[in-house]
Amino acid sequence: MERERKIRIWRGIAFVGFLLCLLFGTRVISQAQNPVSILDKAASAYENSNGITASFELNTRSDVQKVSESFEGTINMKGDKFTLVTPDMITWFDGTTQWTYVERNDEVNVSTPSGEELQFTNPALLLRVYKKGFIPKYIGESTASNGKTAYDIELTPKKKGDIIKVVLQIEKFSNFPASIRIEAKNGVSNTIHISQLKTGINQPDDFFVFKESEYPDAEVIDLR
């Protein structure tokens, strides 16, 4: 059971970068009824943000195993760099090297992610996948969890894979993201709610690098 829980947590964290990048790309929508404009502006929205920080809550539910769990976290992104903080671990990525610190084990895994692995964590790469890999459809309006009216946009993958569909909620009057849901063919759905989002947070480059001096007792496991 503990191993399955860890796997669910890892999968949830892996989805975070993907979910957030989709959300960030929709902030600049001028006409939510035109989903094509979302795709056209997604990449530039992130690239022109001059750094982003966001607080979020992620809920993962498995219809097959009849289990669900939630956790809160924060993410900072700049260019192809990011730092992701969740209750169980912290991940730093400087554009080349990734460090993942697991608090329970007091260990750091160092790796050089492949392009495929970065599809769920690297913001710059994900925006390209988002723009080229989905067919958008405007499906109407709904009420978001914060009580505000939102536009719903559904994204269908162009190629068959693990993801069946993505549903975005965009606040009608502010154009800020309210939530996003990803449904996978294995019966697992991931829903993220943004509680706070700020742009123009230009962190220094070393913010995205693991500092051994701050974790002197951690075991470093080099997987490169």
Side-chain angles (χ1 to χ4, degrees):
M1 292 296 294
E2 180 63 22
R3 181 176 180 274
E4 291 180 356
R5 177 179 177 275
K6 287 183 178 180
I7 291 174
R8 291 197 302 271
I9 291 174
W10 271 101
R11 286 175 177 171
I13 291 173
F15 269 113
V16 169
F18 180 55
L19 297 170
L20 291 176
C21 290
L22 289 173
L23 287 170
F24 297 150
T26 61
R27 276 196 67 203
V28 295
I29 301 171
S30 58
Q31 294 181 348
Q33 294 88 340
N34 181 3
V36 175
S37 67
I38 300 174
L39 295 177
D40 291 341
K41 296 178 181 179
S44 61
Y46 176 72
E47 292 169 0
N48 296 330
S49 66
N50 195 29
I52 285 175
T53 184
S55 301
F56 63 88
E57 179 183 24
L58 177 68
N59 175 266
T60 300
R61 187 185 77 249
S62 172
D63 292 334
V64 176
Q65 298 180 354
K66 306 298 182 183
V67 295
S68 65
E69 58 186 330
S70 300
F71 63 81
E72 296 179 345
T74 59
I75 187 169
N76 281 269
M77 300 187 293
K78 184 178 76 170
D80 58 355
K81 305 174 180 64
F82 69 87
T83 298
L84 176 66
V85 180
T86 68
D88 291 299
M89 62 189 70
I90 306 174
T91 300
W92 300 262
F93 181 70
D94 67 356
T96 302
T97 303
Q98 180 171 293
W99 299 264
T100 300
Y101 173 69
V102 183
E103 183 176 2
R104 176 179 296 182
N105 301 331
D106 197 18
E107 67 180 29
V108 180
N109 294 307
V110 187
S111 62
T112 304
S114 66
E116 183 177 358
E117 291 170 335
L118 285 173
Q119 285 186 0
F120 290 105
T121 50
N122 185 324
L125 180 58
L126 285 171
L127 284 174
R128 299 187 195 107
V129 174
Y130 163 55
K131 188 172 183 179
K132 297 178 181 179
F134 295 88
I135 299 173
K137 178 183 178 182
Y138 175 74
I139 57 178
E141 297 184 8
S142 65
T143 302
S145 59
N146 58 14
K148 297 182 180 180
T149 302
Y151 294 117
D152 292 347
I153 298 172
E154 183 177 286
L155 303 176
T156 303
K158 293 180 180 179
K159 296 181 180 180
K160 290 184 178 180
D162 292 334
I163 297 174
I164 296 175
K165 67 177 178 180
V166 178
V167 179
L168 295 161
Q169 270 192 329
I170 308 298
E171 290 183 11
K172 184 175 181 179
F173 297 106
S174 72
N175 289 333
F176 276 80
S179 71
I180 181 174
R181 183 177 78 251
I182 287 186
E183 298 181 8
K185 67 179 182 181
N186 62 359
V188 175
S189 65
N190 290 272
T191 304
I192 191 169
H193 299 277
I194 295 293
S195 57
Q196 187 178 32
L197 185 153
K198 295 180 180 179
T199 60
I201 310 299
N202 190 7
Q203 300 284 8
D205 288 347
D206 64 359
F207 182 84
F208 306 96
V209 176
F210 170 72
K211 299 178 179 63
E212 292 190 30
S213 60
E214 296 181 6
Y215 302 87
D217 299 324
E219 178 185 3
V220 178
I221 302 174
D222 197 329
L223 303 175
R224 292 172 291 185

